[in-house]
Amino acid sequence: MSRPGYLCSAWPWRSAAYLGTGAPAGAVALVGIAILAVLGGALAVVLVGLPLLVLTALAGLPVAWAERRRLGLVDLDPAPARHRVPAAGGLRVWLTTRLREQATWRELGYALLFAVLLWPVDALAVTVALLVPLSMVATPVMMATVGGGEEAKVLKQWTVTTWPSASGFAVLGAVLVALGAYVLGTAAGARAELTRLLIAPRDADLGVRVVELARSRVRLVDAFETERRRIERDLHDGAQQRLVALTMTLGLARLDAPDGPLAEQLARAHEEAGKALAELRELIHGIHPKVLADYGLEAAVNDAADRSPVPVHVDLDLPGRLSQSVEAAAYFVVCEALANVAKHSGADRARVSGGWAGGRLALRVRDDGRGGADARGGSGLTGLGDRVSVLDGRLSLSSPPGGPTELKVEFPCELTGPAAPCA
């Protein structure tokens, strides 16, 4: 409506068509709903009216169907239906699905509002903004035809007896038609937005997309963890076993070789193979530790604490197993926190505590170091925060100068099985 060519475009007439068709559609909806409700209520005593009452409850479906198509006159964005597809065929399943849907009752509410209140407003807007100005524009024509060239009634209120007066009313009517075009556009836009809000809100698609996005993120995390476990298993059962066999073969060859250059080369080869095996084991442990998959988060955290160069006290209360994605994310958060304690904090001791309660897993890693840690300083906590947020978790860091440093992480989750046997 703010564009210069609005009056010359089709939008004023589209708005008039939208509001003009709303009046007869609303009148038909009022008559239909009233008949169904009255007959259903009157015949409910003999049970014949019960199907009519069910039809009354479903009256919003055809009304909403027609309204979604009328919206196309003034809204170029499609307004799809929000109904679910029944799980099976048959009238009973269809009725059960529709009567349990929120969209059905929203459409019924809109149908009642439309039948009682909205269509008279549509008719009033068309009358005031279009019909009244057009009747004024037609004053000279009325005077020349019906009035015999002597007089004409303007809106049945004023009598015009001269041609200059009739021309003046026609000019005023033309000005009012132009102003009425903006009134029609405003009224039609407001009506269309109200209709869409009640029967086809735009944010419904957004909500569905957000839910699907959250679900897809969880599926991606699960697929990622599954792939990590597969890689860990392949390395453990394949490359690691070959390196073990190679190390043993080199060790036996070293024992059998006489002293000399060959024995020294075999010794160096044996030593390098041992280092490669140790690095591979560390890599496998970093990808996905077997203790986490076999015995759960508590055993894996205790294992990480045993390998930490800083003494770590573990106090966890986990009554059962959690989902694999949550256990993996929580474990790697603890490992990263303990690695930061060993590298940067200068702490003498650290503590890992927490547990599961009320549908949430809460863990805290605390040390008595110098403090001053900053997640923005490349400590690796930013990546962990992203990994935690994928699972709708929260990660917070408190590290004032002088210490202590405390890292907290929470995950919404449920128990998936009993506690694993002790490692």
Side-chain angles (χ1 to χ4, degrees):
M1 293 174 61
S2 61
R3 296 179 180 178
Y6 170 72
L7 291 177
C8 297
S9 68
W11 288 109
W13 303 108
R14 292 169 71 112
S15 301
Y18 176 68
L19 295 174
T21 55
V28 171
L30 175 61
V31 173
I33 294 175
I35 291 176
L36 287 176
V38 171
L39 291 179
L43 299 177
V45 180
V46 293
L47 302 181
V48 179
L50 294 182
L52 295 178
L53 292 178
V54 173
L55 290 178
T56 305
L58 299 176
L61 299 181
V63 173
W65 178 87
E67 286 297 285
R68 280 191 289 270
R69 276 138 189 85
R70 283 205 318 120
L71 271 177
L73 292 171
V74 292
D75 191 347
L76 298 181
D77 186 14
R82 307 298 180 189
H83 296 287
R84 298 194 305 268
V85 178
L91 179 61
R92 181 175 181 179
V93 176
W94 184 86
L95 285 175
T96 303
T97 303
R98 291 293 172 263
L99 293 176
R100 290 180 178 177
E101 284 182 320
Q102 183 181 6
T104 300
W105 302 104
R106 287 171 64 95
E107 292 175 354
L108 177 61
Y110 173 80
L112 295 176
L113 183 65
F114 179 46
V116 175
L117 179 62
L118 294 182
W119 74 266
V121 176
D122 294 345
L124 179 62
V126 172
T127 301
V128 172
L130 184 62
L131 298 183
V132 169
L134 287 179
S135 66
M136 295 177 66
V137 172
T139 301
V141 178
M142 296 294 294
M143 187 172 177
T145 56
V146 179
E150 297 180 357
E151 66 176 16
K153 285 285 188 179
V154 180
L155 302 179
K156 296 184 179 181
Q157 298 293 324
W158 302 284
T159 302
V160 178
T161 58
T162 63
W163 285 105
S165 299
S167 300
F169 272 105
V171 172
L172 179 60
V175 174
L176 292 179
V177 167
L179 296 177
Y182 288 94
V183 175
L184 288 173
T186 302
R191 270 285 283 116
E193 191 62 29
L194 176 62
T195 301
R196 179 176 282 277
L197 178 66
L198 294 178
I199 66 173
R202 291 182 176 88
D203 57 353
D205 282 341
L206 180 60
V208 171
R209 292 174 184 173
V210 169
V211 171
E212 180 58 29
L213 177 61
R215 291 176 178 173
S216 65
R217 289 199 311 173
V218 173
R219 289 195 296 266
L220 286 175
V221 171
D222 291 339
F224 177 68
E225 293 302 326
T226 301
E227 186 65 16
R228 288 170 68 102
R229 289 193 297 273
R230 185 191 66 79
I231 294 173
E232 181 271 335
R233 183 175 61 252
D234 291 345
L235 289 176
H236 182 275
D237 297 339
Q240 180 177 255
Q241 299 304 321
R242 291 184 178 275
L243 270 178
V244 170
L246 175 61
T247 304
M248 294 178 62
T249 302
L250 288 174
L252 293 175
R254 177 185 176 185
L255 294 176
D256 295 338
D259 294 337
L262 178 61
E264 294 176 0
Q265 292 180 2
L266 288 174
R268 286 195 297 269
H270 183 262
E271 182 179 355
E272 291 297 328
K275 292 179 181 179
L277 180 60
E279 291 179 0
L280 181 61
R281 285 173 175 168
E282 189 67 24
L283 175 63
I284 293 173
H285 197 278
I287 292 175
H288 196 279
K290 191 171 180 61
V291 64
L292 178 64
D294 293 343
Y295 300 104
L297 179 61
E298 186 172 355
V301 170
N302 278 285
D303 179 64
D306 291 339
R307 293 183 288 106
S308 173
V310 178
V312 180
H313 176 70
V314 179
D315 182 16
L316 295 180
D317 181 17
L318 299 176
R321 295 295 301 269
L322 308 172
S323 67
Q324 296 175 346
S325 56
V326 170
E327 285 189 343
Y331 171 77
F332 286 109
V333 167
V334 172
C335 288
E336 180 66 25
L338 293 181
N340 287 337
V341 169
K343 294 177 182 178
H344 309 295
S345 70
D348 296 324
R349 297 193 62 83
R351 177 184 177 88
V352 180
S353 60
W356 180 90
R360 298 190 71 85
L361 171 66
L363 297 177
R364 293 176 296 276
V365 182
R366 184 184 180 94
D367 67 72
D368 58 0
R370 65 176 68 95
D374 187 358
R376 297 169 298 181
S379 61
L381 295 178
T382 303
L384 289 179
D386 294 339
R387 181 167 184 168
V388 169
S389 65
V390 170
L391 300 172
D392 292 331
R394 295 186 301 173
L395 185 144
S396 60
L397 176 67
S398 173
S399 183
T405 297
E406 185 174 67
L407 178 71
K408 296 181 181 180
V409 62
E410 292 185 359
F411 295 95
C413 58
E414 297 294 336
L415 297 178
T416 59
C422 179

